[in-house]
Amino acid sequence: MAVTLKQAQRVGYTCLRALLRFAFMVANNLVAIPSYVLYLIVLQPLRILDSKSFWYIEGVLFKWLLAMVASWGWWAGYTVVEWGDDVKAVSEDEAMVLVNHQATGDVCTLMMCLQDKGTVVRQMMWLMDHIFKYTNFGIVSLIHGDFFIRQGKAHRDQQLVLLKDHLEKYYRSRNRKWIVLFPEGGFLRKRRETSQAFAKKNNLPFLKHVTLPRLGATQVILKTLVAPQENGTPSGGDAVRKESKSKGLQWVIDTTIAYPKAEPIDIQTWILGYRQPTVTHVHYRIFPVKDVPAEPEALTNWLYQRFIEKEDLLAHFYETGAFPPPQGQAKAISREMTLSNLWLVAIQSFAFLSGGMWYCLFQYLYHCLF
């Protein structure tokens, strides 16, 4: 089939735009990440004198870095529509966020849709695969205090011990509020077959759009971050919210990411922008942590139930293009998540100005010394 001039022009335009976007992303990383590191090196005396203020500033810089990543997708037309519970209501409380995992773009989607949730982004901790430690963003996550977990049976027990130690050392000392994890332990396409075989062997539901979650990290987080008197007790929701700062982890936010036609966005698409503008849909359900069982078997069943519900949510979405309404309501209400282009331009400008400032400073020091 012959390629028309119009088709060739479209392909050429797409390739040129992808090249320019990639060049901008590289330049963005070259100025923003070193600037983040250098600012925090200069602020080390403040860390000693006033640790709280130091981690506040670090959190603001961290949020701006994540906003820069969000901007790459936002300006390519990759937007987010939100459904279900309004998580802004618990943005100042401590919460564990459980997310289904389909592709590398899931993290970028979360970086985008959590930007307008108050202080969440600057006070959150991520659990991610250890391979991300060796990416360009690895140094940022290491400084921020995220946890890199190594997958596989051979490492599982040791990793859970390390996770517990990490939470005890960094979570409260750095005033973290939300902790984000992907309980499936890998991408859907990689784990689906194994999960389905396990489900068949153990008489569990057949899942197509998610996989059965793993218990380990979730259990460690709950044991470490939930105050003993809360887990399994009938304390009221209002009281929990008012005293959240002293009572530890208060909520579990079950987050379900859905892509049109079940075609997830990967990090390459997010950077290069060669896919047509796409709306990603994110559904939230908030559970009081007092309703989450503590015993391993009961917690496993509870966690399995959440992912069975995710399966139903996604099946409904792929069939109808919308999530089902909450029980007792006739229609589900969606909310379009928006970012300010002016704000995104401002933080990008700050990054490039900072890069220029550091370059001039090092040039000056070099000439003074040599």
Side-chain angles (χ1 to χ4, degrees), residues 99 101 129 149 151-152 182-187 191 211-214:
V99 192
H101 208 10
D129 192 281
I149 191 164
Q151 305 293 342
F182 301 90
E184 291 166 293
F187 298 138
R191 291 210 61 242
T211 66
L212 289 170
R214 294 170 176 172

Side-chain angles (χ1 to χ4, degrees), residues 259-272:
Y259 298 95
K261 300 180 181 179
E263 297 176 353
I265 298 176
D266 55 28
I267 187 66
Q268 298 94 322
T269 305
W270 194 270
I271 292 170
L272 300 177

